[in-house]
Amino acid sequence: MNLINKKFTFIIGAQKCGTTTMHNLLLSHPALSLPAIKETHYFSRDFLYNKGIDWYLKHFDLNKKNMCEVDPSYLFFPNTEQRIKDSIPNLKFIVIFRKPIDRALSQYLMSCYRGYESLSFLDALNVESKRLEDDNNYFSFINHSYLERGNYVKQLNSYLSIFDKSNFLFIKFDDLISIDSNKSLLKSICSFIDIDSRLLQFELPKSNAKKKVKSSIIRNLLYRDTNLKRVAQFMVPSDRLRNNLKNIINSFNSTDYSDKDESQKMISEQLMSLPKKYIDWNNSQVDSLSKVSGLNLDDWIYE
């Protein structure tokens, strides 16, 4: 397939920085073709990359000129940037960043929700390096990488070493979710992708709100590798249909926190009670990212 006349935009992360919101919004633009499922993981997972580019391209409507994929694993997994460069000729990248320690807590809460985490947030941070060191199947790399995924500049430099910086649009998570800032930001996104600005007529979808599980048994059937899950995957071979069924079951098996103010207070208390070394880590990452991205991140610094 000759891709020279096609334009690809990759929203490569970071995880828990609004990529689901971005995906749901971009789906509404008729000039863009996105995969039916948010993340194909084609460039980040060996077994999928080995299926070949034709397998990947089947996820898009190639009658359109502009292709777009949202997949935060592309920022974090090694070798992904080189695979993209080797496969796609005309491309741009959008990267959304969030205050590193806030992003870490958000991932921690997601892992708790999925049944992958039983430690307190502080204990999980304290054992993260050991978990990653002993990780033989990428489980902790994917689910327990709370601090490692926040080392933004390290990940970004892998891309900037082989792609020109002009191919990147850097976004601050706060601006994406801010009523006062997001219209201007959406206009910048449309200009960067080179599509008309009809996205401005849509409200930003509210995605991935904090939820709690009703039944841990149902949750474990969805997220743990069990024989029953393998049978279900065999009986429903379509990735899109499986994803839709999973979302439906998840919606019935979860509920929003009844007191959002209390939930936010709990989160704030967890962050402010962290030892100084994690606050210093956050500030160091913010300072480095500000220099590389050009974003004003002064409000991410803890005094």
Side-chain angles (χ1 to χ4, degrees), residues 19-228:
T19 56
T20 299
T21 292
M22 181 72 77
H23 173 80
N24 293 339
L25 179 70
L26 294 176
L27 279 173
S28 64
H29 201 295
L32 295 175
S33 173
L34 286 83
I37 55 175
K38 177 191 164 197
E39 304 164 13
T40 69
H41 298 319
Y42 172 70
F43 292 105
S44 56
R45 305 292 176 87
D46 293 346
F47 76 98
L48 292 174
Y49 186 68
N50 290 336
K51 291 186 176 185
I53 191 65
D54 288 342
W55 177 87
Y56 177 64
L57 294 177
K58 287 178 181 177
H59 291 80
F60 298 92
D61 177 3
L62 295 176
N63 292 315
K64 297 184 179 182
K65 186 177 182 180
N66 291 288
M67 314 299 149
C68 185
E69 184 182 10
V70 182
D71 194 330
S73 72
Y74 290 173
L75 182 64
F76 188 56
F77 276 64
N79 306 316
T80 299
E81 67 284 346
Q82 189 61 53
R83 288 174 172 178
I84 294 175
K85 183 176 177 62
D86 292 342
S87 305
I88 308 296
N90 300 317
L91 74 173
K92 293 182 176 181
F93 299 96
I94 295 175
V95 195
I96 312 168
F97 300 107
R98 185 176 185 177
K99 185 189 296 185
I101 202 66
D102 288 4
R103 194 224 65 82
L105 178 57
S106 184
Q107 183 189 354
Y108 164 81
L109 294 174
M110 179 176 70
S111 289
C112 290
Y113 174 83
R114 293 178 173 178
Y116 299 155
E117 183 61 84
S118 58
L119 300 178
S120 70
F121 183 46
L122 177 57
D123 287 343
L125 295 184
N126 287 337
V127 302
E128 178 178 330
S129 59
K130 180 62 175 174
R131 279 173 159 177
L132 297 181
E133 181 183 331
D134 296 340
D135 196 20
N136 295 320
N137 59 2
Y138 271 73
F139 183 81
S140 285
F141 181 80
I142 295 170
N143 299 293
H144 299 144
S145 46
Y146 311 120
L147 298 174
E148 187 62 28
R149 285 184 188 260
N151 293 330
Y152 299 134
V153 172
K154 173 185 173 183
Q155 299 159 46
L156 197 55
N157 281 341
S158 296
Y159 276 85
L160 295 177
S161 67
I162 60 174
F163 293 107
D164 192 274
K165 197 172 182 178
S166 63
N167 291 333
F168 291 80
L169 176 65
F170 302 127
I171 294 175
K172 191 176 178 181
F173 173 77
D174 314 55
D175 294 336
L176 183 63
I177 63 172
S178 167
I179 295 176
D180 295 331
S181 304
N182 58 37
K183 291 299 182 185
S184 175
L185 177 60
L186 290 179
K187 191 172 182 179
S188 298
I189 291 170
C190 292
S191 176
F192 180 74
I193 299 177
D194 193 22
I195 55 176
D196 65 64
S197 57
R198 73 184 71 187
L199 289 180
L200 297 175
Q201 66 185 292
F202 298 103
E203 292 294 326
L204 277 171
K206 298 294 185 283
S207 305
N208 287 347
K210 294 178 180 62
K211 296 180 180 293
K212 50 187 175 182
V213 171
K214 293 179 182 178
S215 168
S216 59
I217 295 175
I218 295 175
R219 186 267 317 277
N220 292 343
L221 289 175
L222 287 176
Y223 288 105
R224 293 186 180 176
D225 187 19
T226 62
N227 290 332
L228 182 59

